């Protein structure tokens, strides 16, 4: 067990190069494969939002996307972590990529046969959410097998970059394809992006079998994970703050409305607007890699989420498209910092035999918050508009962060030495 906790302290005299983990063959294959699959997921999310708005013209319907994401997350989310602690994580990753093909192929067939209705998109959205529940904890828990202990934090940060890069590339590619080809062909291209992932994941050699005592998929195993999170109060605090913030400040569905109804920039402009937060996220990720170790992690987290709250207000008040891009960039930059902190501490604090469950709790808070936030954004925007919803969310988010920063001094004072 002691070997599992070695990565918790990083020596200042032994700095890790920003791209060190990519020198390891298995991690390199997993990173590249995860990037291809994540681009496909982000591309399909943007396509689905655009298509729903084209079919219905309703912000309310955009908000319902969150409902069909949150249902499988709330019902099955914690079982994903138990499954990752019981079964071979490498095989779970391969199975998840096969499952990722189904929504894209199904939607392509429905569009080409001119039988698609909005409820088909909702159903496949729920299926995608269920597949992500299987993939997320398995991939996160697999990382420590692919790199040596002193590269763990670097590997976690690089793994976080997968999402940032995919949010940058996926929406732009999806938006351009919407303007230049049919929706059916867009979904076919989306399905093809899962094939490189299957090939790359099959090349990984490291064992994916969990260490420690044998487990079974049961409620008892879930309660063990809940007990671990409860006693690791720093992780619990980070998850809860992020959960509350995202519910009132999830902005992605509103970008579709801003691009279409406020700035009138078309599919390509929508893709660029969706990509602006990803550019900010990627720059935030680069900043963290360049800085290396950050001791005052709690304070950095609170500053980053406060910056996110201000970014929401900025985006809601932006009168011009270029200012909206700058505000969206700010949201991405600040969000990436908080995400890396949460994921790094989850990896460092959890032993291998419970790492899948710890990751599933992190994913549950994040995914459920995103889904509920998507619903809240769509419903409120139907009443007060996209700009008003962003300003309202930013004000509430500012209050949440201020209250936590003033009352939870343990989080404010937290440093890496406390590990």
């Amino acid at each position: 067990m002691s070997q599992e906790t070695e990565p918790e302290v990083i020596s200042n005299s032994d700095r890790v190069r920003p791209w060190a983990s990519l020198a390891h063959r298995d991690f390199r294959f997993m990173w590249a494969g995860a990037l291809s699959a994540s681009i496909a997921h982000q591309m399909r999310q943007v396509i689905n939002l655009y298509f729903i708005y084209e079919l219905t013209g309703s912000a309310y319907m955009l908000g319902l996307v969150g409902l069909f994401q949150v249902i499988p997350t709330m019902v099955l989310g914690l079982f994903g972590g138990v499954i990752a602690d019981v079964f071979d994580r490498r095989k779970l990753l391969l199975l998840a990529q096969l499952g990722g093909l189904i929504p894209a192929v199904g939607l392509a067939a429905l569009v080409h046969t001119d039988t698609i209705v909005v409820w088909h998109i909702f159903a496949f959205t729920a299926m995608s959410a269920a597949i992500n529940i299987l993939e997320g904890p398995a991939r996160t828990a697999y990382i420590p097998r692919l790199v040596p202990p002193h590269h763990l934090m670097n590997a976690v940060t690089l793994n976080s970059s997968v999402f940032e890069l995919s949010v940058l590339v996926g929406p732009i590619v999806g938006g351009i394809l919407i303007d230049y080809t049919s929706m059916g062909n867009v979904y076919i291209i989306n399905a093809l992006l899962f094939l490189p992932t299957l090939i790359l994941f099959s090349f990984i050699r490291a064992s994916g079998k969990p260490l420690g005592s044998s487990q079974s998929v049961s409620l008892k195993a879930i309660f063990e994970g809940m007990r671990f999170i409860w006693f690791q109060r720093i992780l619990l605090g980070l998850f809860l703050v992020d959960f509350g913030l995202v519910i009132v400040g999830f902005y992605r569905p509103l970008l579709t409305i801003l691009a279409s109804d406020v700035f009138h920039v078309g599919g390509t402009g929508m893709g660029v607007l969706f990509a602006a937060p990803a550019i900010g996220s990627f720059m935030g990720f680069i900043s963290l890699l360049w800085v290396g170790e950050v001791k005052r992690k709690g304070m950095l987290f609170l500053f980053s989420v406060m910056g996110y709250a201000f970014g929401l207000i900025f985006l809601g008040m932006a009168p011009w498209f270029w200012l909206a891009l700058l505000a969206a960039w700010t949201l991405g930059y600040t969000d990436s910092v908080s995400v890396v902190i949460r994921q790094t501490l989850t990896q460092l604090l959890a032993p291998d035999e419970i790492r899948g469950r710890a990751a599933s709790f992190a994913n549950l808070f994040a995914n459920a918050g995103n889904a509920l936030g998507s619903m809240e954004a769509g419903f409120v925007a139907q009443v007060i508009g996209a700009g008003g919803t962003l300003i309202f969310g930013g004000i509430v988010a500012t209050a949440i962060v201020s209250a936590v920063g003033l009352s939870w001094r343990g989080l404010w004072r937290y440093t890496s030495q406390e590990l």
Side-chain angles (χ1 to χ4, degrees):
M1 185 69 66
S2 61
Q3 292 180 345
E4 293 297 329
T5 59
E6 286 179 7
E8 294 175 0
V9 179
I10 297 177
S11 172
N12 290 330
S13 61
D14 185 23
R15 296 214 29 135
V16 177
R17 291 177 300 169
W19 314 104
S21 297
L22 291 176
H24 302 286
R25 175 187 180 277
D26 283 347
F27 182 81
R28 189 164 61 247
F29 282 135
M30 193 196 75
W31 186 88
L35 178 61
S36 181
S38 189
I39 289 173
H41 283 299
Q42 294 302 319
M43 175 181 167
R44 189 163 67 232
Q45 285 186 19
V46 172
I47 296 166
N48 286 348
L49 289 172
Y50 182 88
F51 203 14
I52 289 170
Y53 202 60
E54 281 284 300
L55 291 172
T56 67
S58 169
Y60 174 80
M61 285 296 182
L62 289 177
L64 281 181
V65 173
L67 175 64
F68 287 93
Q69 290 174 331
V70 77
I71 290 174
T73 299
M74 298 301 294
V75 174
L76 304 173
L78 296 182
F79 283 99
V82 178
I83 291 171
D85 286 336
V86 173
F87 298 103
D88 190 307
R89 293 158 182 169
R90 178 177 173 274
K91 293 180 180 178
L92 289 175
L93 289 175
L94 290 170
L95 181 63
Q97 306 321 308
L98 289 172
L101 287 166
I102 297 173
V105 172
L107 288 169
L110 288 168
V111 173
H112 277 297
T113 57
D114 199 25
T115 57
I116 191 167
V117 295
V118 68
W119 295 105
H120 292 141
I121 302 177
F122 291 150
F124 281 119
T125 295
M127 179 182 294
S128 295
I131 293 168
N132 289 338
I133 289 169
L134 180 67
E135 178 184 8
R139 179 154 62 93
T140 302
Y142 199 18
I143 292 174
R145 300 288 188 85
L146 310 180
V147 298
H150 62 285
H151 284 171
L152 179 59
M153 184 173 290
N154 177 263
V156 171
T157 308
L158 286 170
N159 184 60
S160 300
S161 75
V162 166
F163 178 79
E164 318 304 347
L165 287 169
S166 66
V167 176
L168 170 61
V169 176
I172 291 179
V173 173
I176 292 173
L177 290 174
I178 287 171
D179 283 345
Y180 291 99
T181 189
S182 68
M183 291 299 298
N185 290 337
V186 172
Y187 282 119
I188 291 175
I189 295 170
N190 181 253
L192 293 175
L193 286 174
F194 287 96
L195 299 181
T197 304
L198 282 167
I199 295 171
L200 290 165
F201 281 178
S202 67
F203 289 157
I204 299 176
R205 297 172 182 168
S207 172
K209 295 181 179 179
L211 300 177
S213 58
S214 60
Q215 296 281 348
S216 60
V217 179
S218 65
L219 291 175
K220 178 182 177 182
I222 290 178
F223 288 133
E224 288 177 356
M226 294 174 64
R227 191 180 305 115
F228 170 80
I229 295 297
W230 178 257
F231 285 107
Q232 290 291 353
R233 303 307 290 270
I234 293 297
L235 290 183
L236 179 63
L238 296 177
F239 296 164
L240 289 176
V241 171
D242 181 69
F243 181 70
L245 197 68
V246 155
I247 287 179
V248 298
F250 190 72
Y251 60 88
R252 286 177 65 82
L254 302 178
L255 298 181
T256 305
I257 301 174
L258 292 176
S260 177
D261 295 349
V262 177
F263 301 113
H264 309 287
V265 290
T268 300
M270 183 192 68
V272 172
L273 186 58
F274 268 91
I279 296 173
S281 295
F282 185 68
M283 293 182 69
F285 145 74
I286 292 294
S287 299
L288 289 173
L289 283 178
W290 184 265
V291 170
E293 173 68 349
V294 177
K295 293 183 179 179
R296 296 296 301 273
K297 291 182 175 65
M299 184 172 65
L300 179 60
F301 174 80
L302 290 172
F303 276 136
S304 66
V305 292
M306 181 62 80
Y308 184 91
F310 290 159
L312 290 170
I313 299 173
F314 184 18
L315 180 59
M317 298 177 64
W320 303 296
F321 185 61
W322 67 270
L323 275 179
L325 293 176
L326 180 59
W329 179 94
T330 302
L331 290 170
Y333 189 95
T334 53
D335 185 54
S336 69
V337 174
S338 64
V339 166
V340 168
I341 291 174
R342 291 197 311 274
Q343 292 188 355
T344 299
L345 292 182
T346 301
Q347 287 284 20
L348 295 176
L349 290 170
D352 185 84
E353 62 268 20
I354 205 170
R355 193 168 282 136
R357 278 164 285 178
S360 73
F361 274 97
N363 289 344
L364 177 63
F365 279 103
N367 294 335
N370 288 342
L372 291 172
S374 177
M375 292 174 57
E376 184 270 345
F379 296 162
V380 176
Q382 188 72 24
V383 179
I384 63 175
T389 302
L390 289 164
I391 295 170
F392 170 76
I395 293 172
V396 176
T398 301
I400 292 173
V401 179
S402 299
V404 171
L406 292 173
S407 61
W408 197 337
R409 296 183 180 180
L411 179 58
W412 177 262
R413 295 194 301 262
Y414 173 78
T415 65
S416 57
Q417 285 89 346
E418 293 176 11
L419 289 174

